[in-house]
Amino acid sequence: MSRLPSLLPDDPTAPFPPVEQALRQPDGLLAVGGDLSPTRLLNAYRHGIFPWYSPGQPILWWSPDPRTVFLTDGVRLSSKFRRALRSSTWTVRADTDFAGVIEACATIPRRGQRGTWITRDMRAAYRQLHSLGHAHSIEVFDADRLVGGIYGVGVGRMFFGESMFSAVSGGSKVALAALAWHLRDWGWPLIDAQVENDHLLSLGARQWPRERFVARVSDLCNDPGLQGVWTARLGDWPAARLAEPQATRRTGA
């Protein structure tokens, strides 16, 4: 008989089961139920666990093996894309339109996907995390138009990427590369990308065994971080900087 995932208690401070108990099929399913309170979400991230479920399902908690990650000095932008960025007038900002980024991630159609896993409850939960200084967005603007972005959760010196979008081709690449640029400068070495796909792999994502990932996350989450709004740290940052020669080293291209 197949083993079932653990049922979480109502208490948001209750510990998650050990990630080693996650199912092999479907890969990484660890627990069911609970809530999306800040306490439970932050506890999940600190242990290498994240929520992922579709409308009509209970909350499902995952810790897949292997885990998809980016090194902050390992995001790859092609030479062709960097050349195009030399004349770009796009601007990158942080935490100026978190709601717009998460809404776009939830609603912009994606090839091969129907609907979204970013439910209304998920959006509300991450907006609350943002208001508490834990969730952040990197936004790419063409003048006043939001053309790309990424959002996720920062704990200690660890960034857990949740989703990114492009309203114009290349918008998500710029958001990811700019995020990696700044995290590297701040001494944050790793971005969690959760589950692999061809697009992430083309940008330099790699696979880590879950045991290695969880051990690294435990160390990084216990370090001092940068809780609070990141807007002033980035200012209006020109996307064209990603085309500079030093960006080749910084983004691993």
Side-chain angles (χ1 to χ4, degrees):
M1 179 180 291
S2 299
R3 184 166 52 83
L4 297 176
S6 299
L7 181 64
L8 293 181
D10 292 336
D11 180 4
T13 66
F16 282 86
V19 295
E20 293 79 13
Q21 293 182 12
L23 303 185
R24 286 291 182 185
Q25 290 295 331
D27 178 34
L29 180 57
L30 177 66
V32 178
D35 57 27
L36 297 173
S37 64
T39 297
R40 185 148 2 219
L41 282 170
L42 293 174
N43 186 33
Y45 285 114
R46 290 188 182 101
H47 291 88
I49 301 163
F50 60 89
W52 184 25
Y53 63 100
S54 299
Q57 292 181 326
I59 301 173
L60 304 177
W61 301 88
W62 302 79
S63 185
D65 187 13
R67 190 67 162 244
T68 303
V69 300
F70 285 99
L71 302 182
T72 54
D73 63 356
V75 175
R76 290 200 301 260
L77 297 179
S78 70
S79 298
K80 179 180 180 181
F81 188 70
R82 289 202 315 274
R83 285 196 298 272
L85 283 176
R86 290 173 188 166
S87 58
S88 174
T89 59
W90 289 358
T91 299
V92 180
R93 301 170 189 150
D95 290 341
T96 65
D97 192 5
F98 185 89
V101 170
I102 196 170
E103 188 69 21
C105 287
T107 58
I108 285 184
R110 301 171 192 267
R111 185 180 300 174
Q113 286 187 217
R114 294 182 181 180
T116 180
W117 56 269
I118 309 174
T119 64
R120 287 180 180 271
D121 287 346
M122 289 278 274
R123 278 173 266 181
Y126 285 89
R127 285 196 300 267
Q128 184 178 11
L129 273 186
H130 174 66
S131 71
L132 295 172
H134 300 293
H136 304 280
S137 60
I138 301 295
E139 307 117 13
V140 184
F141 286 93
D142 182 0
D144 293 328
R145 182 189 177 195
L146 184 63
V147 296
I150 185 171
Y151 79 93
V153 177
V155 183
R157 287 195 301 125
M158 180 68 203
F159 191 86
F160 299 90
E162 276 296 319
S163 187
M164 57 185 182
F165 82 95
S166 291
V168 175
S169 179
S172 64
K173 292 181 184 178
V174 168
L176 174 64
L179 171 65
W181 175 300
H182 289 284
L183 292 179
R184 178 68 175 173
D185 272 356
W186 301 342
W188 298 36
L190 203 62
I191 299 171
D192 175 30
Q194 298 182 348
V195 180
E196 73 167 6
N197 60 46
D198 290 342
H199 179 59
L200 296 178
L201 294 176
S202 74
L203 293 171
R206 57 187 67 189
Q207 299 282 277
W208 276 18
R210 180 174 57 212
E211 183 179 8
R212 179 186 180 190
F213 174 78
V214 170
R216 192 73 175 108
V217 163
S218 178
D219 289 339
L220 292 171
C221 286
N222 285 325
D223 289 344
L226 294 171
Q227 185 176 337
V229 177
W230 289 359
T231 305
R233 287 184 171 271
L234 266 71
D236 284 0
W237 195 82
R241 288 197 65 185
L242 294 169
E244 295 175 1
Q246 62 265 35
T248 301
R249 296 192 300 274
R250 287 176 178 270
T251 60

